[in-house]
Amino acid sequence: MKNLLTFKNVNYFYQTKNDEIFALNNVNFDVEENSFVSLVGPSGYGKTTILSLTAGLLTPSSGKITLDGEDKIDIKKIGYMFQKDFLFEWRTVWKNITLGLEIQKPKDKEEKLAMAEELLKKYDLYGFKDQKPRSLSGGMRQRVALIRTLTMEPKLLLLDEPFSALDYQTRLSVCDDVYEIIKSEQKTAILVTHDISEAISMSDKIIILTSRPATVRETLSLNLEGTSPLKKRETPTFASLFDHIWRQLSNEETAKNKT
Amino acid sequence: MKKQQKTKPNFSKSHQLYVKRLKKDKFVINFFRVFVLVAFLGIWELLTYYKVLDPFFVSSPSRIFAQIGTMAQNGTLLTHSWVTLYETLIGFGIATAVGYVIAVLLWWNEKVRKVFEPYIVVLNSLPKIALGPVIILWVGAGTSAIVLMCVLICIVITIMSMLSAFLAVEEGKILLMKSMHASKLQILFKLVLPSSMPEFVSVLKINVGMSWVGSIMGEYLTSKAGRGYLIVYGGQIFKIDLVMASTMILCILAFGMYYFVSLLEKKYNPGAKS
Ligand SMILES: Nc1ncnc2c1ncn2[C@@H]1O[C@H](COP(=O)(O)OP(=O)(O)OP(=O)(O)O)[C@@H](O)[C@H]1O
Ligand SMILES: [Mg+2]
C-alpha cells in the first residue's frame, strides 16, 4: 500500500537563547494510507515534536518529510488535535467546531457543516451547541476539540493524547468511536499516547521512541483479530505485546538513568 | 444559566434560603452605602452650621446645592459641564482608538515593536503635564490643547496594556490557528482581538479615569470655560462653594461614564467579578 507520510533521517533541534536542544535524532518511519499508527514513549521523548513537524508547524533541521508524495507539506491535508483542547471561550461550541471551516472556506462547506452536526449528535453534545465551552466538563471539551478536527475531513489525523482528560469508561468508548470513524471514513491517523494498551488496541503499527535525542527504537506491525479496540483487548496476543512494549520502554528508562 | 432557572421553578428549600440570604445581604450593603453618604453630608452640614468648621474654607452641602441651583438657573450648569464632558469624551475616544491601532501594529511586526518598546516605556514614565507649555505652543491655547493633553495621558497606557494583552495569547492557540491554515489577519481577527476583549474593557475603565485627569489638567493650563476652569477660578476668588459644586458635578459625570463602560464589561467579560 502507498505511503502517505515518510520521515527520512529527520533531525530536529530546538533553538533557545541559551541552549540548543537535540530533540530528534535520525528519525525514520512511514505511515501507510488508511492505517492507524501509534507513537509511544514517556513524557519529553519528542512525540509532540514529531506531530508538529508533520503538520508543518516546525521545519526539520535536516532530513526529509514527505506527505502524500510531496516534499512540501500541505497543511490543509492535516487535522491536528492538540494535547490541550484550545477551545475559544468567547465562541459557542458550534462556533468552535466550525472555526476551521470559517477560516478555510472549503467548497463543500455545507456538507461539512452537516457532518459536524451529525458528530455533535453522536457525541451527546448537540444540546450544548449554543453554550460557551465554560459550561463543559474536561471530557466534553476534548470531544468538541475532536469534532473540530474531524469536521475538516483531513487526509491525515494527528491526535496528541486526545483521550487524556476522559475517565476510563468514556475513554474506552471514545477510542472505539474514533477508531470506527477513522476506519469507516478511510482516514489515516497518528496517535500519540502514554497508554500502551490503548496503542495496541487501536493501531496497525506502533512506533516506540527512545529517550532524547529521540530516535525510533522499534516499529511493531500488529495484526490483531477483532473488529474494535475493545475486542482486540481480549485477544491472547494482547498481553504478550503489552509485556514486550512495556519492557522496551522500561529498558529505555533504565538506560537513560545510567547515563 | 438564566434560561435553566426559568424552566426549573421548583428549587429545594436550601436553595430558596440561599437566594433569600443573598437578597438580604444585598439590601444591607445598599442600605449602608446610602447611609455612609447621608451621614457624611449630615456631619459636614452640622459641623459647618455650628461653626466648628469654617464654611468659607470647607463650604457645606447646603451651600453646594444652592450653588448648583444658581448655576442651573443661569444656565452655566449645563454649558460648563458640557465643555468639559466634550473634551473628555473626544480625548478618551481618540486616545483609545489610536492607541488600540498602534498596539495592533506593534503586535503585527516584532521588529518595529522591539524598536519602539524603550520609547514607549520612557513616554509612560514621563509626567505628561510637563508637556503642557509645548502643547500650547504647538496647537495653541484652547480646546485642542486640552484634548491633546487628554490624549497624551491616556494613549501610552492604552498601547502598553493592549499590546501585552495581545502578546499574552496562548502560543498553542496560535499554533492551532496555523494548523488550520489561518492567515495572520485571520489570527488577528478571530483569535487575538476577541481574546483580548476583557483587557480592552479594563483599558476603557482606566481611560475613563485618566481622560478626566487629562481634561481637567488641560483646563487648569488653558481654558475659558469648563468645570476645571471654574475650579481654578473659584479658588482664585475664594469662592469655595463653586469649587466644591464643580468637583461634585465632576464626580457624577465621571461615575456616569464609568457606569457605561461597566455595562460593556458585563457583556464581554461576564465571568469577571464586579
Ligand atoms: N519549544 C521548545 N523549546 C525548547 N525545547 C523544547 C520545546 N518543545 C519541546 N522541547 C523539548 O523537546 C523534547 C521533546 O518534547 P515533546 O514536546 O516533543 O515531548 P512529548 O513526547 O510530546 O512529551 P509529553 O508526553 O510530555 O507531551 C523535550 O525534552 C522538551 O524539553
Ligand atoms: Mg507532547
Side-chain angles (χ1 to χ4, degrees), chain A residues 12-16 19-24 40-52 58 83 160-161 192-194 209 212 214:
Chain A
Y12 190 78
F13 294 88
Y14 279 105
Q15 303 292 351
T16 64
D19 208 0
E20 194 179 47
I21 296 164
F22 193 6
L24 300 184
V40 293
S43 182
Y45 274 35
K47 304 177 299 291
T48 301
T49 309
I50 289 179
L51 293 194
S52 300
L58 300 174
Q83 224 163 339
D160 201 346
E161 298 185 44
V192 162
T193 178
H194 286 121
L209 297 174
R212 208 180 72 207

Side-chain angles (χ1 to χ4, degrees), chain A:
Chain A
M1 213 181 250
K2 193 181 141 206
N3 281 335
L4 183 63
L5 175 77
T6 35
F7 266 56
K8 200 155 177 13
N9 302 328
V10 173
N11 287 294
Y12 190 78
F13 294 88
Y14 279 105
Q15 303 292 351
T16 64
K17 206 168 168 187
N18 309 316
D19 208 0
E20 194 179 47
I21 296 164
F22 193 6
L24 300 184
N25 175 20
N26 239 352
V27 170
N28 286 292
F29 67 89
D30 43 47
V31 176
E32 285 177 4
E33 211 155 358
N34 304 335
S35 69
F36 200 114
V37 174
S38 289
L39 276 174
V40 293
S43 182
Y45 274 35
K47 304 177 299 291
T48 301
T49 309
I50 289 179
L51 293 194
S52 300
L53 284 163
T54 308
L57 297 174
L58 300 174
T59 329
S61 308
S62 68
K64 209 165 98 181
I65 300 173
T66 317
L67 175 70
D68 207 13
E70 291 167 45
D71 288 349
K72 196 169 173 323
I73 290 166
D74 179 1
I75 214 167
K76 288 190 183 167
K77 289 181 180 160
I78 284 176
Y80 192 166
M81 186 177 165
F82 290 79
Q83 224 163 339
K84 286 203 205 162
D85 57 56
F86 292 135
L87 298 181
F88 294 0
E89 299 299 333
W90 58 92
R91 285 173 165 249
T92 60
V93 166
W94 178 250
K95 282 272 176 192
N96 264 293
I97 286 173
T98 53
L99 177 67
L101 298 178
E102 217 178 290
I103 289 168
Q104 298 191 359
K105 304 186 184 73
K107 280 184 218 91
D108 54 348
K109 194 172 167 182
E110 291 306 314
E111 291 155 41
K112 288 186 171 156
L113 287 176
M115 172 172 163
E117 220 166 291
E118 279 308 305
L119 287 170
L120 269 179
K121 281 179 192 149
K122 187 165 174 185
Y123 286 105
D124 295 326
L125 284 164
Y126 197 74
F128 293 88
K129 193 169 166 260
D130 298 315
Q131 302 243 3
K132 296 276 168 68
R134 200 181 309 120
S135 53
L136 305 183
S137 71
M140 290 159 93
R141 292 176 67 104
Q142 220 149 4
R143 276 178 279 159
V144 172
L146 178 65
I147 297 173
R148 179 179 62 194
T149 315
L150 291 174
T151 308
M152 305 298 297
E153 299 197 278
K155 265 197 146 155
L156 176 60
L157 267 168
L158 307 178
L159 308 168
D160 201 346
E161 298 185 44
F163 315 124
S164 55
L166 305 175
D167 62 88
Y168 195 67
Q169 291 300 322
T170 324
R171 188 171 176 144
L172 290 182
S173 80
V174 173
C175 273
D176 257 11
D177 286 340
V178 170
Y179 184 83
E180 201 218 285
I181 290 173
I182 288 165
K183 287 293 166 193
S184 66
E185 304 280 325
Q186 309 234 316
K187 296 272 183 256
T188 315
I190 303 178
L191 171 76
V192 162
T193 178
H194 286 121
D195 183 336
I196 301 172
S197 48
E198 196 170 279
I200 302 172
S201 64
M202 293 185 75
S203 325
D204 304 309
K205 181 149 110 185
I206 296 179
I207 295 167
I208 305 169
L209 297 174
T210 66
S211 62
R212 208 180 72 207
T215 187
V216 176
R217 181 184 181 101
E218 189 179 357
T219 315
L220 289 172
S221 290
L222 313 183
N223 237 328
L224 292 184
E225 294 135 45
T227 43
S228 77
L230 263 182
K231 293 223 175 80
K232 284 189 190 175
R233 285 176 191 255
E234 289 154 15
T235 56
T237 39
F238 186 92
S240 64
L241 274 168
F242 188 101
D243 195 52
H244 175 78
I245 296 170
W246 192 78
R247 270 166 210 281
Q248 290 281 359
L249 289 173
S250 49
N251 280 347
E252 195 55 51
E253 281 292 303
T254 41
K256 195 173 84 178
N257 291 341
K258 267 181 204 149
T259 52

